[in-house]
Amino acid sequence: MAITEVSAPPEKHPRDGMVSATETAFGSSSSIDEADKTLEALGYKPVFKREFSRWSSFSFAMSISGVYGTLMSTWIYGLQAGGAAAIMWSWVIGGVGALALALSVAEISSAYPSSGAMYFTLKYLAPEDQVPILCWISGYINLVGTVTGSAATEYASSQLLLAAVSIMSDFSFIPTTGHVVAVMALLTVVHASVNTLPTKWLNRLTSGYVVFHVGVLLGACICLLVQTRNKHTLHYAFTDFQSTSGWHPPGFAFLFGCLTPAWIMTSADSTARIAEEAKDPSRVVPKAIANATTFTFVIGFLFNLVLVLCMGDPRKLVDSASGQPVAQLFFNAMGRAPAIFFTLAGFVVMNLVAIPGLQSGSRTVFALARDDLLPFSSLLRQISPRSQTPVAAVWIYALVEIIVNLLGLASSTAISAVFNVCTVTLNLSYIIPLICKMLYGRFDRGPWNLGRWSTPINVVAVAWNGFMAVIFFFPTVLPVTRENMNYAVVVFFFVMVFAVSFWYTHGKHYYRGPKTLTQSPRERYDLALFTQV
């Protein structure tokens, strides 16, 4: 039997080597595009239809940030932290840190495009003996951050709708927690129903998000600048500091304002979770993350500046009866009808955040269940033959969102703690792969990368977001009472104890990291060698 010459083993990067080995062993097929070949090389059988284009992926990423509606919901942090100057400078400084993290996530997602996103990348970035426990811990931390972020979005959507109702009633109607939770539950069911549609329809819906979003934001800015008579100066916007937090020195409170850009720009890997539904995900997904986050940073800065110039007395906004300072600002500057319109527009935008957020979250559940990391994984990884989406994961995820938000009925302090832990857990789940990338040198660049700026940007991302994770555990107001205490550290401690305990009691005995449903790289290469002998 003659032995013909064969090529060298596949390169370390799964995409570069595995596609070659697959083609050699099984022959090329026009029905399987390069994206599906890459996914198979990463160890998974393609189950989703690839409908998301470059535009719809960018629109999806923009919708996840939802800068108009999300900024309306979180603007209170900067307002309490120091007013005008705290709002502007926390956006600039905190935004740069969040942007560095997003760019770092984009680079890694280009190399390993999978619904598992950053959790999955540890399979390649960490040493083999550390992969199981790191993936287990990172997966659960990321899931908690994703669920609490989605739950907070639903809660904020409800608050904005009820704020508009409050303005309609000339503030005679004061929304209660019961009202907020009831509306939230209804909205969550609607958003989950939308997410049971086929990917083709989700792609069509997503494609229009960014147009509406940006149009509303620009419209609000123009109307505010035209209607507001007594505007503040640019000098006021960047220098006036009036902290009502009680922290000493007062400048320390400025850091709490960074929660706003962190909250808005932190879900960078949400777009990475639709990699298995995107065309050419190694390029389309990272570009969507990078472009959307950069655009959000710039347009968010301009929106903040307009709000600060037109806000009047910041103390009146903090004490607004509607509970929404930006909605109150609209009312003060433009009157009742425009305020209702732009507050309802914020509600619509938050719905456009919640729908892709639930899609991204359900894909996280699917990816973790596919690797048997979750209880009832066999159910959660099922794909509906009608829509070719993980319908069971969608509804379970929506149910958990509602359960989390029911904590609001018990205590506003409890629900705030859950929401505050979102940014910390998500950022930590991103930082772990970045540290492994820099520490172990196992990363192979994808088509989209940061070049020589990769390590410096990674260092900034890890240092800043690691520091802010600690800051976000502090109470934002002093003196500390039972009502204003930040119990996020308690929630985070519980999450870590659960994840570690569950690992030692269950995961350690069967979990070996993300699965390889097809042959391993070594097995495929051996098969390619055998077929040529």
Side-chain angles (χ1 to χ4, degrees), residues 54-139:
R54 180 179 301 179
W55 171 256
S56 57
S57 296
F58 170 74
S59 184
F60 184 96
M62 279 295 299
S63 299
I64 289 294
S65 69
V67 60
Y68 177 81
T70 312
L71 196 146
M72 287 182 68
S73 302
T74 60
W75 210 57
I76 185 69
Y77 291 109
L79 207 58
Q80 292 177 331
I87 291 169
M88 296 309 303
W89 288 112
S90 65
W91 183 268
V92 172
I93 298 173
V96 168
L99 181 59
L101 186 61
L103 294 175
S104 299
V105 169
E107 181 181 45
I108 294 180
S109 69
S110 174
Y112 314 105
S114 160
S115 293
M118 296 296 280
Y119 143 81
F120 171 79
T121 65
L122 287 166
K123 175 181 178 180
Y124 295 97
L125 300 177
E128 291 184 14
D129 61 328
Q130 297 179 25
V131 166
I133 187 170
L134 285 178
C135 284
W136 182 275
I137 300 298
S138 178

Side-chain angles (χ1 to χ4, degrees), residues 31-41 44 46 48 50 276:
S31 63
I32 302 178
D33 63 11
E34 291 301 315
D36 284 343
K37 292 179 181 178
T38 299
L39 184 61
E40 288 180 334
Y44 296 120
F48 295 106
R50 294 189 180 275
E276 295 179 31

Side-chain angles (χ1 to χ4, degrees), residues 209-239:
Y209 289 172
V210 68
V211 176
F212 177 82
H213 187 181
V214 175
V216 167
L217 193 151
L218 293 177
C221 289
I222 293 171
C223 289
L224 279 173
L225 291 173
V226 171
Q227 293 292 326
T228 304
R229 296 182 179 179
N230 299 316
K231 301 181 187 68
H232 293 299
T233 63
L234 288 174
H235 181 268
Y236 172 90
F238 289 96
T239 60

Side-chain angles (χ1 to χ4, degrees), residues 197-387:
L197 295 173
T199 303
K200 176 176 65 176
W201 288 101
L202 293 175
N203 172 63
R204 291 177 179 176
L205 289 170
T206 302
S207 297
Y209 289 172
V210 68
V211 176
F212 177 82
H213 187 181
V214 175
V216 167
L217 193 151
L218 293 177
C221 289
I222 293 171
C223 289
L224 279 173
L225 291 173
V226 171
Q227 293 292 326
T228 304
R229 296 182 179 179
N230 299 316
K231 301 181 187 68
H232 293 299
T233 63
L234 288 174
H235 181 268
Y236 172 90
F238 289 96
T239 60
D240 187 78
F241 187 85
Q242 302 178 36
S243 176
T244 59
S245 67
W247 276 94
H248 296 284
F252 181 81
F254 148 82
L255 294 171
F256 299 125
C258 294
L259 181 59
T260 298
W263 179 267
I264 293 174
M265 300 166 67
T266 196
S267 297
D269 83 325
S270 293
T271 309
R273 295 176 195 143
I274 63 165
E276 295 179 31
E277 298 165 81
K279 302 173 183 177
D280 191 15
S282 293
R283 294 176 177 82
V284 167
V285 167
K287 286 180 180 179
I289 295 172
N291 293 339
T293 308
T294 303
F295 185 73
T296 294
F297 176 67
V298 173
I299 202 169
F301 173 83
L302 297 176
F303 189 35
N304 269 307
L305 181 59
V306 171
L307 291 176
V308 166
L309 293 178
C310 302
M311 71 179 179
D313 186 350
R315 290 170 294 185
K316 292 182 179 179
L317 300 182
V318 173
D319 300 329
S320 171
S322 69
Q324 295 292 318
V326 176
Q328 184 67 51
L329 190 158
F330 288 154
F331 180 82
N332 296 344
M334 297 184 288
R336 183 170 175 267
I340 293 172
F341 173 80
F342 284 113
T343 302
L344 286 175
F347 163 70
V348 174
V349 168
M350 288 304 290
N351 280 266
L352 300 184
V353 177
I355 293 172
L358 203 154
Q359 180 184 355
S360 174
S362 65
R363 299 321 185 253
T364 300
V365 171
F366 165 80
L368 298 179
R370 180 170 58 183
D371 294 330
D372 286 327
L373 192 139
L374 301 176
F376 309 107
S377 288
S378 59
L379 170 66
L380 296 173
R381 61 172 171 255
Q382 294 298 314
I383 299 295
S384 166
R386 179 187 63 83
S387 65

Side-chain angles (χ1 to χ4, degrees), residues 40-44 123 371 513-521 523:
E40 288 180 334
L42 292 172
Y44 296 120
K123 175 181 178 180
D371 294 330
K515 283 185 175 179
T516 300
L517 302 183
T518 56
Q519 293 97 337
S520 68
E523 290 170 335

